């Protein structure tokens, strides 16, 4: 596609470029250094919807939520100086979780760069370690090519955040000939390599001869859109499947081959089978430390086939017997027809025994409807049972996140948006704003704890202003629950600064004109969740949950994945 | 086990790329022993020659992280026996310390160094060679008043016969087009 215009300002060129890239929503905050662009947005408000966040960190998280829901890059637009520095946490979050985000920052005039002008900061310098790519535009003539490049880099290969800093003079300059061509390739950048034939054949041989094959799915499965290939392969080989936190929803939770989530607070079957399988097929995942536990004790018996698009992830943590540098979908498409159907009945039986054991010891406790104690798992399960299919589940970080990961029942079209690598508290509410900006049908559930909510609760303003139908579930234990748990387990219960004196959250939310309710007992749970889903528009449900709940299972520090504990007793 | 490795990195000529590359070493707490950057063969291709002391695994991981940068065309890693390396050093020596005899002149000649500037107060001597050659020459000047000494980053050519253009062609053949 190519657009040619003459005699337009740099700011206008930015807007036209965004429209050319198919951008329909921008999350942002105006300031002195990006006002020309906002003026151009005004002209094109029929094409670009702008959502005013209440803090720039919220803009990036919203763009991340949007990217996950829309399956295309999210865009945020902020001003220079503090606007730019406030982005950093969100950019780092997007970098660690491979989320395509295009951040545009205004900047002071080129003549003032480096002279400590008002609201001047070196955003290109300090965003370098956390961006896939960044660039400072100081002339309007650079705008078209740079923006095209930015979108191409953000979404191709292993996706990630990019940042473009645009000086104010470049926004104001007039461009004689504005031509927009989408970027289709960069000489020095090879984002997607063909899966190597030899490696594919070796992988097929291992899979066909495996006695106990096991597949672990990461975020790459969702990013490359290969849910159906994954499922077909699992069913053909009768191969049990587990997911990493960011891989959850790659396969529906009710699938008979689903062993659960791997890692620190993952499921018994998924973790045990990691250390019992003979062939481990890792798809689009990076063996993060929260997945592996003690690396020396991670799957030493298994031959690992690692399908991963980013060559720098290969052999970084776990040595791969067969590395396949490729997009997950391309590799699986080639592997599928070469594999032979098999059964692995006793191996699947073993999985079912583990699932039963966890269900009897952990689920029965966490989901007990007759308990006097209201646990997080029970709340999540109630929400999960009543949510419509195709729901976007957004979580914050900590115990609320682990309960959500464990107890949401991911159906065919549901998916999870969470902060994995960076573990950013305060992620959920703004990310929900991004997801709900395109999910107008109301199927966005945002699960938070009282700690994380208070980190970005100013974004209730955006929920109010745009009437975004986010169903907010606050699991309030008046504690930083994960911190409390760690202090109990590793610091002799010397609880220090984990307890919170909290405000009346319902009053705060109601002040924003959002329906809100607080419940404290078991019997009120189902009716309250029903009311939440029945109420059109945003809704806030605060649930007073048990203060001293610990998330189990847990892999103790330094232990292997198969040494996870199901309860404090063992 | 730590060894000396040389990273040879071919890149686009892009503002900020030096920073992008150097922060990778900072993050891994690997000190850069020597760094040289200059235009290279081919259209707008620049090269970085970076010497580090680290383990083989870490060096390989760093190489991959460098190659991951969008503007990096290709990064190679070499052990000491795979490169032929040279650097240049300049020595500013006070004329008053030279004396009437020609000891310094003999030293310069026998070390394959040369005088490149003569001023009333000082002379400038240039010595090209390996880092050891340069160190030895500096030591041999201990009897003279060396006012300034500066050494360039080392540049290398590699023993393997591969050509960058061949690697780049291979890379684009390996690429999967949407």
């Amino acid at each position: 596609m190519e657009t040619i215009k003459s005699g337009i300002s740099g700011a206008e060129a930015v807007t036209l470029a965004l429209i050319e890239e198919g951008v329909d929503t921008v999350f942002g905050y105006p300031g002195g250094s990006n006002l020309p662009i906002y003026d151009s947005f005004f002209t094109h408000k029929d094409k670009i919807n702008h959502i005013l966040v209440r803090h720039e960190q919220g803009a990036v998280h919203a763009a991340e939520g949007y990217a996950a829901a829309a399956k295309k890059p999210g865009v945020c637009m902020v001003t220079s100086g503090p606007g730019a520095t406030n982005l950093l946490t969100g950019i780092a979050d997007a970098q660690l979780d491979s989320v395509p985000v295009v951040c545009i920052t205004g900047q002071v005039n080129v003549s003032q760069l480096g002279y400590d002008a008002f609201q001047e900061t070196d955003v290109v310098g300090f965003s370098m370690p956390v961006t896939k790519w960044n660039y400072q535009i100081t002339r309007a003539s650079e705008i078209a090519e740079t923006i095209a490049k930015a979108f191409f880099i953000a979404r191709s290969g292993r996706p990630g955040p990019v940042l473009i800093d645009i000086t104010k003079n470049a926004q104001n300059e007039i461009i004689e000939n504005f031509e927009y061509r989408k970027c289709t390739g960069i000489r020095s950048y090879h984002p997607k390599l063909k899966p190597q034939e030899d490696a594919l054949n070796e992988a097929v041989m291992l899979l066909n001869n495996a006695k106990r094959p096991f597949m672990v799915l990461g975020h790459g499965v969702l990013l490359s859109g290969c849910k159906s290939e994954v499922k077909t392969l699992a069913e053909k080989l009768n191969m049990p499947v587990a997911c990493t936190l960011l891989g959850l929803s790659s396969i529906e939770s009710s699938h008979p081959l689903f062993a659960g989530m791997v890692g620190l607070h993952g499921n018994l079957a998924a973790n045990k089978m990691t250390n019992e399988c003979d062939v481990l097929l890792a798809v689009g995942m990076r063996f993060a430390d929260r997945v592996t536990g003690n690396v020396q004790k991670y799957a030493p018996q298994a031959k690992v086939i690692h399908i991963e698009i980013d060559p720098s992830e290969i052999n970084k943590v776990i040595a791969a017997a067969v590395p396949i540098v490729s997009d997950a979908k391309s590799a699986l498409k080639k592997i599928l027809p070469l594999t032979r159907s098999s059964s692995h009945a006793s191996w699947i039986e073993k999985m079912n025994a583990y699932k039963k054991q966890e269900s009897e010891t952990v689920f029965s406790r966490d989901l007990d409807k007759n308990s006097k104690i209201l646990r997080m798992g029970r709340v999540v399960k109630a929400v999960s049972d009543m949510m419509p299919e195709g729901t976007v589940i957004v979580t914050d970080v900590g115990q609320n996140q682990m309960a959500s990961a464990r107890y949401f029942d991911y159906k065919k079209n549901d998916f999870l948006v969470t902060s994995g690598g960076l573990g950013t508290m305060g992620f959920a509410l703004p990310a929900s704003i991004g997801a709900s900006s395109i999910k107008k049908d109301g199927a966005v559930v945002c699960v938070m704890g009282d700690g994380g909510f208070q980190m970005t609760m100013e974004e209730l303003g955006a929920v109010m202003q745009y009437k975004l139908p986010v169903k907010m579930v606050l699991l309030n234990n008046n504690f930083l629950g994960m911190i409390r748990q760690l202090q109990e387990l590793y610091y002799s219960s010397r609880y220090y600064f984990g307890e919170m004196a909290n405000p009346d959250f319902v009053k705060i939310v109601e002040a924003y004109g959002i329906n809100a309710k607080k419940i404290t007992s078991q019997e009120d749970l189902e009716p309250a969740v029903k009311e939440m889903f029945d109420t059109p528009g945003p809704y806030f449900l605060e649930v007073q949950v048990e203060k001293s709940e610990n998330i189990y299972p847990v892999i103790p520090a330094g232990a292997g994945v198969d040494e996870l504990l199901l309860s404090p007793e063992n | 086990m730590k060894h000396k490795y040389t990273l040879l990195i071919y890149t686009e000529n892009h503002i900020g790329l030096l920073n992008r590359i150097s922060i990778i070493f900072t993050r891994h707490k690997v000190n850069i022993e020597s760094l040289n950057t200059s235009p290279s063969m081919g259209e707008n291709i620049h090269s970085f020659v970076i010497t580090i002391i680290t383990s083989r695994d870490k060096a390989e991981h760093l190489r991959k992280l460098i190659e991951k940068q969008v503007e990096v065309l290709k990064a190679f890693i070499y052990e000491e026996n795979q490169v032929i390396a040279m650097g240049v050093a300049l020595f500013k020596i006070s004329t008053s310390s030279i004396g009437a005899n020609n000891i310094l002149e003999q030293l310069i000649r026998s070390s394959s160094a040369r005088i490149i500037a003569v001023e009333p107060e000082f002379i400038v001597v240039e010595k090209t060679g390996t880092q050891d050659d340069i160190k030895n020459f500096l030591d041999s000047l201990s009897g003279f008043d060396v006012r300034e000494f500066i050494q360039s980053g080392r540049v290398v050519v590699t023993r393997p016969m591969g050509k960058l253009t061949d690697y780049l062609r291979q890379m684009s053949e390996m690429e999967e087009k949407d």
Side-chain angles (χ1 to χ4, degrees):
Chain A
M1 209 188 316
E2 197 175 323
T3 303
I4 302 182
K5 282 225 171 183
S6 57
I8 63 166
S9 71
E12 180 75 356
V14 171
T15 310
L16 292 179
L18 294 178
I19 293 169
E20 285 295 318
E21 290 293 339
V23 174
D24 49 30
T25 308
V26 171
F27 305 92
Y29 211 101
S33 296
N34 65 9
L35 279 179
I37 299 174
Y38 271 82
D39 192 55
S40 164
F41 279 177
F42 184 79
T43 310
H44 297 279
K45 61 186 169 195
D46 58 324
K47 292 214 174 67
I48 292 188
N49 175 33
H50 180 272
I51 289 187
L52 179 70
V53 293
R54 297 313 195 252
H55 183 281
E56 287 87 352
Q57 183 189 343
V60 203
H61 293 326
E64 289 182 272
Y66 174 94
K71 316 258 182 277
K72 62 180 186 181
V75 179
C76 61
M77 165 80 61
V78 303
T79 192
S80 60
T85 55
N86 282 345
L87 286 183
L88 270 191
T89 303
I91 299 177
D93 190 272
Q95 169 90 335
L96 276 162
D97 286 349
S98 313
V99 185
V101 172
V102 175
C103 304
I104 300 175
T105 50
Q107 182 57 282
V108 299
N109 283 326
V110 63
S111 59
Q112 295 174 298
L113 284 175
Y115 288 89
D116 299 328
F118 178 65
Q119 293 191 331
E120 185 220 346
T121 54
D122 176 17
V123 60
V124 171
F126 63 65
S127 66
M128 229 171 235
V130 289
T131 47
K132 187 172 172 184
W133 183 75
N134 63 6
Y135 189 80
Q136 184 174 61
I137 295 174
T138 53
R139 286 168 300 158
S141 57
E142 298 173 289
I143 287 171
E145 195 191 337
T146 307
I147 292 184
K149 222 171 147 180
F151 276 86
F152 177 67
I153 292 167
R155 69 170 168 256
S156 57
R158 180 179 184 175
V162 301
L163 183 140
I164 307 170
D165 192 36
I166 311 179
T167 58
K168 202 166 177 183
N169 63 293
Q171 298 173 38
N172 287 326
E173 267 168 32
I174 298 299
I175 304 171
E176 286 314 317
N177 275 308
F178 172 77
E179 274 183 64
Y180 197 80
R181 261 187 233 104
K182 280 199 173 183
C183 176
T184 54
I186 296 168
R187 176 173 76 162
S188 55
Y189 174 60
H190 308 283
K192 201 170 167 183
L193 302 179
K194 285 181 210 156
Q196 308 78 42
E197 289 295 328
D198 295 357
L200 287 172
N201 292 334
E202 272 183 69
V204 168
M205 204 187 69
L206 282 178
L207 288 170
N208 280 341
N209 293 315
K211 299 275 181 285
R212 298 179 307 282
F214 187 54
M215 178 153 62
V216 180
L217 308 176
H219 196 195
V221 171
L222 298 169
L223 289 170
S224 82
C226 63
K227 278 166 76 167
S228 78
E229 285 80 4
V230 155
K231 197 164 148 182
T232 313
L233 182 67
E235 286 170 357
K236 188 174 180 189
L237 290 172
N238 267 300
M239 169 166 53
V241 181
C243 292
T244 67
L245 175 65
L246 288 186
L248 283 174
S249 72
S250 293
I251 188 162
E252 56 267 35
S253 319
S254 60
H255 196 284
L257 289 168
F258 184 57
M261 179 174 77
V262 292
L264 187 64
H265 295 292
N267 294 105
L268 179 67
N271 280 314
K272 285 278 190 189
M273 292 167 83
T274 299
N275 276 16
E276 290 172 14
C277 63
D278 60 349
V279 174
L280 194 156
L281 173 59
V283 187
M285 55 87 83
R286 61 180 174 91
F287 299 105
D289 57 296
R290 290 298 192 265
V291 162
T292 62
N294 185 334
V295 177
Q296 268 70 45
K297 297 179 180 175
Y298 184 84
Q301 80 298 338
K303 289 207 163 60
V304 175
I305 303 167
H306 192 186
I307 302 175
E308 166 58 46
I309 198 163
D310 177 356
S312 74
E313 293 296 347
I314 302 283
N315 295 333
K316 185 180 90 175
V317 178
I318 298 295
V322 182
I324 301 177
V325 180
S326 159
D327 172 63
K329 190 173 193 155
S330 311
L332 290 177
K333 271 189 156 171
K334 297 228 163 168
I335 287 174
L336 251 176
L338 303 173
T339 50
R340 284 196 306 265
S341 297
S342 39
S343 69
H344 308 299
S346 61
W347 176 228
I348 290 169
E349 239 171 70
K350 195 155 198 195
M351 170 180 75
N352 289 332
Y354 283 133
K355 283 167 87 168
K356 186 159 176 272
Q357 188 188 346
E358 186 176 359
S359 172
E360 284 167 0
T361 51
V362 185
F363 297 177
S364 59
R365 180 182 64 222
D366 286 358
L367 307 178
D368 184 6
K369 287 189 179 178
N370 300 316
S371 164
K372 288 222 159 39
I373 296 172
L374 194 45
R375 290 176 182 271
M376 293 185 187
R378 165 93 174 92
V379 180
V380 168
K381 186 73 171 57
V383 174
S384 175
D385 287 346
M386 275 186 253
M387 70 188 185
E389 183 158 348
T391 294
V392 185
I393 297 142
V394 187
T395 85
D396 216 79
V397 169
Q399 287 187 327
N400 68 87
Q401 179 185 36
M402 290 300 110
S404 299
R406 292 174 52 79
Y407 293 114
F408 267 110
D409 177 17
Y410 300 94
K411 293 179 277 293
K412 209 170 156 219
N413 298 310
D414 301 335
F415 62 94
L416 174 71
V417 179
T418 192
S419 168
L422 197 66
T424 311
M425 283 174 68
F427 171 84
L429 185 57
S432 305
I433 288 169
S436 69
S437 68
I438 57 159
K439 275 263 180 188
K440 295 286 185 194
D441 53 1
V444 175
V445 169
C446 169
V447 182
M448 303 168 282
D450 46 310
F453 177 50
Q454 290 182 81
M455 282 198 176
T456 53
M457 70 179 178
E458 74 282 354
E459 300 304 341
L460 286 168
V463 175
M464 170 185 69
Q465 186 165 354
Y466 305 100
K467 300 183 179 56
L468 298 169
V470 186
K471 307 301 181 191
M472 294 165 270
V473 178
L474 181 74
L475 302 174
N476 184 4
N477 56 5
N478 291 102
F479 244 110
L480 301 174
M482 197 59 95
I483 296 303
R484 201 207 55 76
Q485 175 167 352
L486 291 168
Q487 288 180 337
E488 179 185 328
L489 299 181
Y490 299 114
Y491 299 92
S492 319
S493 299
R494 286 158 57 87
Y495 302 125
Y496 206 48
F497 289 106
E499 189 162 17
M500 296 193 125
N502 280 330
D504 184 334
F505 290 119
V506 167
K507 268 191 187 160
I508 288 176
V509 175
E510 281 177 345
Y512 283 91
I514 296 169
N515 287 309
K517 183 171 201 156
K518 178 174 182 173
I519 59 163
T520 54
S521 66
Q522 285 272 11
E523 57 274 18
D524 295 335
L525 181 59
E526 268 81 9
V529 173
K530 184 169 186 311
E531 186 182 321
M532 174 176 81
F533 282 116
D534 287 347
T535 309
Y539 192 95
F540 182 89
L541 175 62
E542 178 184 353
V543 185
Q544 190 71 51
V545 292
E546 167 56 28
K547 192 173 261 199
S548 57
E549 180 181 352
N550 287 332
I551 300 282
Y552 278 94
V554 63
I555 301 169
V561 290
D562 54 347
E563 297 174 284
L564 81 172
L565 307 176
L566 290 179
S567 66
E569 290 78 52
N570 54 20
Chain B
M1 189 62 179
K2 289 187 175 181
H3 290 286
K4 190 184 266 189
Y5 292 98
T6 300
L7 284 150
L8 181 51
I9 307 161
Y10 294 101
T11 73
E12 301 288 356
N13 186 15
H14 184 83
I15 288 183
L17 192 54
L18 171 62
N19 196 11
R20 267 202 180 269
I21 291 172
S22 69
I23 57 178
I24 293 171
F25 295 94
T26 311
R27 188 173 166 205
H28 288 82
K29 218 165 164 59
V30 171
N31 190 35
I32 292 174
E33 304 291 320
S34 161
L35 181 148
N36 184 81
T37 166
S38 63
S40 180
M41 282 168 69
E43 197 191 340
N44 294 320
I45 293 177
H46 274 238
S47 64
F48 288 71
V49 180
I50 298 176
T51 311
I52 53 172
I53 295 170
T54 188
S55 68
R56 176 80 216 183
D57 286 352
K58 170 102 22 135
E60 178 56 21
H61 185 52
L62 292 168
R63 186 197 70 75
K64 285 179 176 174
L65 292 176
I66 289 165
E67 205 167 84
K68 190 168 155 176
Q69 303 306 314
V70 170
E71 272 97 5
V72 170
L73 289 145
K74 189 81 191 146
F76 299 94
I77 184 162
Y78 297 102
E79 290 175 16
E80 273 302 271
N81 60 9
Q82 293 177 298
V83 295
I84 295 158
M86 276 287 167
V88 62
L90 301 179
F91 304 80
K92 184 170 114 183
I93 302 166
S94 164
T95 38
S96 61
S97 71
I98 296 173
N101 55 33
N102 56 2
I103 297 173
L104 180 65
E105 211 180 315
Q106 279 170 16
L107 191 61
I108 289 169
R109 206 171 293 142
S110 66
S111 306
S112 304
R114 64 191 182 113
I115 296 169
I116 57 167
V118 179
E119 299 285 333
E121 286 182 284
F122 63 88
I123 63 164
V124 178
V125 177
E126 176 220 290
K127 164 77 188 141
T128 302
T130 64
Q131 281 171 321
D132 283 346
D133 293 341
I134 289 167
K135 167 97 181 28
N136 291 340
F137 184 62
L138 176 66
D139 290 345
S140 68
L141 292 174
S142 59
F144 301 94
D145 181 11
V146 179
R147 290 297 179 95
E148 283 177 39
F149 159 63
I150 192 146
Q151 190 177 174
S152 73
R154 51 182 222 159
V155 291
V156 300
V157 291
T158 63
R159 295 192 191 273
M161 284 301 285
K163 236 178 124 181
L164 176 66
T165 45
D166 297 339
Y167 289 111
L168 295 182
R169 201 185 54 243
Q170 271 173 24
M171 285 301 284
S172 62
E173 280 166 7
M174 281 160 68
E175 212 171 329
E176 185 170 25
K177 303 286 180 198
D178 283 320

